[in-house]
Amino acid sequence: MKPTFEILERIEKCSSEHKDGIFTRLYRYLLREDIYHAAYQKLYSNKGAVTAGTDNDTADGFSNEYVKTLITELRNGTYKAKPVRREYIPKKNGKKRPLGIPSFRDKLLQEAVRIILEAIYEPIFDNHSHGFRPKRSCHTALKQISSEFTGVVWFIEGDIKGCFNNIDHEILIRILGKKIKDSKFLNIIRQFLKAGYVENWKYNRTYSGTPQGGICSPILANIYLHELDMKFNEIKQRFDKPRSAYKTHEYWLLDKEMKKISYWIDHTPNSDERRKLIEQHKALRKQLRNIPCKPMDNKKFTYVRYADDWLVGICGNKQECVELKAEIAEFLKTELNLTLSEEKTLITHSSEKVRFLGYDIRVRRNNEVKGHRMKNGKWRQSRTLHMKVELTVPHTEKIEKFLFENKVIRKKPNGELQPIHRTKLLNMADFEIVEHYNAEMRGLLNYYNLAVDYHTLDFFCYLMEYSCLKTIANKHKSSIRKIIRLYKDGKSWSVPYETKDGTKRIRPVKIADCKRGYTNDIVYQKKKYNWKTTIRQRLNAHVCELCGTGSADLYEVHVVRNMNELGDSDWERVMKKLRRKTLVVCSRCHKRIHEH
């Protein structure tokens, strides 16, 4: 029997080559053990893996028998998804977002379903979709805006009211049914959607939406909104009109006049007349640079979508934008049963800034002429910035808000920003305080490294560094000057700390450490179907990693949330030595671990 990962690679290849292909008999792949070991390998490292849902089932206690029991329920048709436990997490605007915590058994099956759905749908998803997809991120979406929104005149900022909470279950199943002809597989997805939730010990049914916190919810939302991507592409094919290849009449006349003057400059001996011709040529060239070369009669529709947030760029007039916005709203209402927010879906001229994915975006109007080298090595001058996209940092709304919320700064009576110490960090060691500040600085510096005004974050680094110094000084009842003198390291300062390899030093992050354009927010990903997992090998070895027993009836995986929480007992010392969050133990040792 072929390993499941080979079959999924074949499915992915088939989906890529045949975009309209139909897939059948997918349910049988949920009856294979290797897909659950691969799913567990991905899930156990998450902090939420040891958080219980409505039962006490977590990643702790996983075993081969656990997988066999789940497969038996699926084969017999007795599997039933359990309701999720609902919690609320705070949002930045002060409101709370509902979060569903499924049982770990359901998480495991959802991950297996997600792996299969990704193999089918990832090759057919549109290139303009970036949310919840492998090897894509906010940065890939922003880079696409920088390259494809050149010259757009209008922006349409998209906002769908409660998108994930209002996804229609029947429409979603119908969309899935276009490519998947397997009722058993679709019924499993329907169970996840209809499982309901428990809040304050009371069961509530779910009539719409994909539960946030569910493992396969992101890809289901992408499958649902792929219909919107297809609508955008349909509009694009109908709307786009290529730009005229001919120069404007005014530009052509001036260019013709300049060529005549150039001829007489070359054929006139050095004299006052020649100097007048040169001055006249320069004046005409300056005038020429303020005139469009080709008529602006082209029409262009382009877009980028990240989850339920999307931005449309249009070359055309405002009336066309109003009509397109109404068409998109009608499509969402009639086809997807979603509502476009009239108040938040704005039509904005591209010379004004719009906010998308935390950046301020606009299209420049700049006729400044700059020299640049072409691909063939020749040097030429042109209006390099005109009608190009500009990404900038929203300092007041993002950077200053972050600094105030984390109590890094305060505002003086004259309006100046002053760094202050942070009381909540006073119990940390000096090097831990620096490390905490560095982590926060790297996060913002790396995220905004696509901004053209990236250098302005230098002031942010200054405020963070002196807040760090004030925190350390306050801890030692000292002054900033004495702390810098104590930890002086060349022209800067750094805090020493001890490791197994000796003394090391940590210094505050500078803006030069995170160069503009050199990093992105895509997390490193292993090979998609690398299923020779260590967990499976360790379970199949039938050896307890604590007592060494090789003849036990049951071997289970013990999982901890964080390595920093480990103490000094025998099993904790073994986990520290192995440097793993998991330990494969026999049932007797596992029981002893939980008793202590």
Side-chain angles (χ1 to χ4, degrees):
M1 185 172 66
K2 285 186 178 181
T4 308
F5 77 89
E6 290 186 9
I7 297 170
L8 291 177
E9 284 178 342
R10 193 178 69 227
I11 288 174
E12 187 171 3
K13 183 180 178 182
C14 182
S15 182
S16 179
E17 294 174 352
H18 308 284
K19 303 291 184 183
D20 298 326
I22 304 296
F23 295 89
T24 60
R25 301 181 65 194
L26 297 175
Y27 190 77
R28 55 181 172 165
Y29 303 133
L30 297 177
L31 307 179
R32 292 168 167 254
E33 292 184 18
D34 56 351
I35 196 170
Y36 295 104
H37 285 93
Y40 184 82
Q41 190 77 21
K42 187 173 178 66
L43 293 176
Y44 82 85
S45 59
N46 298 333
K47 290 184 179 180
V50 291
T51 302
T54 51
D55 55 11
N56 293 321
D57 191 17
T58 66
D60 184 64
F62 178 79
S63 64
N64 289 333
E65 284 68 22
Y66 185 98
V67 173
K68 289 175 183 177
T69 303
L70 176 57
I71 290 175
T72 300
E73 290 182 11
L74 291 168
R75 183 177 282 114
N76 297 338
T78 57
Y79 171 83
K80 187 175 181 181
K82 296 180 180 179
V84 301
R85 178 167 65 86
R86 174 162 286 189
E87 295 287 341
Y88 289 90
I89 55 177
K91 296 170 69 174
K92 290 183 179 180
N93 58 8
K95 297 181 180 179
K96 290 187 176 181
R97 176 183 287 111
L99 179 71
I101 304 173
S103 166
F104 185 75
R105 181 195 64 155
D106 295 339
K107 284 183 183 179
L108 199 65
L109 181 55
Q110 284 190 40
E111 176 61 20
V113 169
R114 187 202 64 78
I115 290 170
I116 296 171
L117 289 175
E118 188 176 285
I120 295 172
Y121 282 96
E122 187 58 36
I124 67 171
F125 281 152
D126 194 86
N127 191 44
H128 295 82
S129 168
H130 296 265
F132 311 132
R133 294 184 61 188
K135 298 183 181 179
R136 289 173 181 260
S137 65
C138 295
H139 278 183
T140 59
L142 292 162
K143 287 175 182 176
Q144 190 169 54
I145 289 173
S146 294
S147 61
E148 296 190 9
F149 277 56
T150 301
V152 301
V153 182
W154 298 95
F155 290 128
I156 302 178
E157 307 167 61
D159 187 273
I160 301 172
K161 287 183 179 178
C163 177
F164 297 109
N165 294 330
N166 293 310
I167 288 177
D168 191 295
H169 293 168
E170 296 308 316
I171 293 176
L172 176 58
I173 295 297
R174 188 175 73 237
I175 291 170
L176 287 165
K178 293 178 182 179
K179 287 193 72 66
I180 299 173
K181 303 298 182 182
D182 187 335
S183 58
K184 284 186 176 181
F185 187 81
L186 294 179
N187 283 337
I188 290 293
I189 297 175
R190 187 181 276 108
Q191 279 200 51
F192 295 147
L193 297 172
K194 300 288 186 182
Y197 63 93
V198 173
E199 184 178 4
N200 296 326
W201 303 101
K202 183 180 179 182
Y203 173 76
N204 299 272
R205 295 184 66 183
T206 48
Y207 298 96
S208 65
T210 55
Q212 295 189 48
I215 303 299
C216 60
S217 294
I219 193 167
L220 290 176
N222 263 340
I223 292 168
Y224 197 80
L225 292 175
H226 178 64
E227 301 296 308
L228 178 61
D229 295 340
M230 294 171 67
K231 178 63 178 178
F232 283 149
N233 286 321
E234 177 195 323
I235 294 172
K236 180 178 178 62
Q237 291 180 2
R238 183 184 76 238
F239 187 85
D240 281 7
K241 177 184 174 184
R243 190 173 181 178
S244 173
Y246 301 101
K247 296 179 181 179
T248 60
H249 186 66
E250 186 180 2
Y251 190 96
W252 179 79
L253 288 175
L254 274 176
D255 189 43
K256 186 177 179 181
E257 184 66 23
M258 285 174 60
K259 287 177 181 177
K260 287 181 181 178
I261 294 172
S262 295
Y263 174 82
W264 288 114
I265 289 173
D266 293 338
H267 292 80
T268 302
N270 293 332
S271 63
D272 292 339
E273 185 180 353
R274 188 174 187 275
R275 282 195 295 272
K276 289 180 181 178
L277 288 171
I278 292 173
E279 290 175 4
Q280 188 179 355
H281 188 276
K282 287 181 179 179
L284 287 175
R285 175 164 287 281
K286 187 176 181 180
Q287 185 180 349
L288 189 71
R289 286 169 180 163
N290 292 317
I291 299 172
C293 177
K294 294 180 181 179
M296 300 294 289
D297 59 349
N298 65 312
K299 288 186 178 182
K300 176 183 176 183
F301 180 99
T302 187
Y303 76 97
V304 165
R305 181 176 67 82
Y306 189 93
D308 61 331
D309 295 328
W310 46 270
L311 183 68
V312 167
I314 294 174
C315 283
N317 57 53
K318 189 171 184 179
Q319 182 57 36
E320 290 172 328
C321 296
V322 172
E323 293 172 0
L324 289 173
K325 176 185 170 182
E327 184 179 348
I328 294 166
E330 181 65 20
F331 172 81
L332 288 170
K333 183 65 179 176
T334 57
E335 298 296 327
L336 300 180
N337 199 18
L338 295 174
T339 305
L340 194 68
S341 174
E342 290 293 332
E343 302 80 21
K344 296 181 180 179
T345 304
L346 306 175
I347 298 172
T348 310
H349 196 267
S350 64
S351 61
E352 300 175 13
K353 291 180 179 179
V354 298
R355 183 70 50 77
F356 186 70
L357 299 180
Y359 275 75
D360 281 339
I361 303 171
R362 74 180 185 96
V363 177
R364 297 179 180 184
R365 267 69 175 176
N366 189 335
N367 286 315
E368 183 182 354
V369 177
K370 290 188 176 183
H372 64 96
R373 194 172 299 279
M374 300 174 66
K375 291 182 179 180
N376 58 9
K378 292 183 178 180
W379 185 266
R380 64 170 294 182
Q381 290 185 324
S382 61
R383 293 171 283 187
T384 55
L385 300 179
H386 188 56
M387 299 303 287
K388 297 295 175 63
V389 176
E390 178 186 66
L391 305 177
T392 55
V393 181
H395 285 274
T396 304
E397 297 84 353
K398 296 294 181 181
I399 305 302
E400 287 186 17
K401 185 179 179 182
F402 169 84
L403 293 172
F404 280 117
E405 285 179 349
N406 289 278
K407 298 180 180 178
V408 177
I409 60 172
R410 70 178 180 89
K411 186 169 283 189
K412 296 167 69 174
N414 61 1
E416 291 182 6
L417 301 179
Q418 181 184 34
I420 57 176
H421 76 274
R422 297 166 75 176
T423 308
K424 70 175 185 179
L425 304 181
L426 293 177
N427 292 329
M428 294 183 177
D430 290 358
F431 79 91
E432 290 177 332
I433 293 173
V434 179
E435 197 174 51
H436 185 89
Y437 275 90
N438 283 354
E440 293 176 334
M441 283 193 280
R442 282 196 194 95
L444 283 171
L445 290 173
N446 284 335
Y447 187 73
Y448 286 107
N449 68 0
L450 297 178
V452 296
D453 58 345
Y454 180 72
H455 63 281
T456 58
L457 290 172
D458 196 35
F459 184 59
F460 160 73
C461 292
Y462 160 79
L463 293 172
M464 291 288 284
E465 180 181 352
Y466 274 82
S467 173
C468 179
L469 283 167
K470 285 192 174 185
T471 303
I472 297 173
N474 190 275
K475 174 186 173 182
H476 294 288
K477 307 300 181 187
S478 182
S479 65
I480 290 178
R481 181 175 295 179
K482 290 180 181 179
I483 294 299
I484 293 175
R485 190 182 301 128
L486 175 66
Y487 292 133
K488 188 169 178 60
D489 184 14
K491 294 183 179 180
S492 184
W493 62 277
S494 61
V495 178
Y497 63 98
E498 297 297 327
T499 67
K500 292 181 180 179
D501 301 325
T503 303
K504 293 186 177 180
R505 305 185 73 92
I506 182 169
R507 63 176 180 81
V509 167
K510 304 290 184 183
I511 193 169
D513 297 327
C514 305
K515 294 182 179 179
R516 178 175 175 262
Y518 275 73
T519 59
N520 58 41
D521 54 351
I522 298 175
V523 178
Y524 172 77
Q525 295 178 352
K526 295 180 180 178
K527 188 177 183 295
K528 185 179 286 186
Y529 299 118
N530 183 17
W531 285 10
K532 293 183 179 179
T533 59
T534 57
I535 292 291
R536 190 181 187 191
Q537 291 170 345
R538 289 159 65 194
L539 281 170
N540 290 337
H542 299 292
V543 175
C544 177
E545 294 175 349
L546 185 57
C547 69
T549 303
S551 57
D553 296 330
L554 179 64
Y555 292 92
E556 299 173 318
V557 181
H558 179 67
V559 183
V560 295
R561 188 188 304 271
N562 198 322
M563 291 286 289
N564 295 333
E565 299 174 357
L566 294 175
D568 199 40
S569 62
D570 59 342
W571 63 271
E572 288 171 316
R573 288 197 300 271
V574 171
M575 294 188 81
K576 286 179 182 178
K577 185 177 179 181
L578 294 173
R579 302 177 77 176
R580 285 174 171 163
K581 293 171 66 175
T582 58
L583 193 68
V584 174
V585 292
C586 61
S587 55
R588 184 171 59 85
C589 288
H590 200 203
K591 184 178 179 181
R592 179 170 66 85
I593 288 170
H594 282 283
E595 285 176 350
H596 293 283

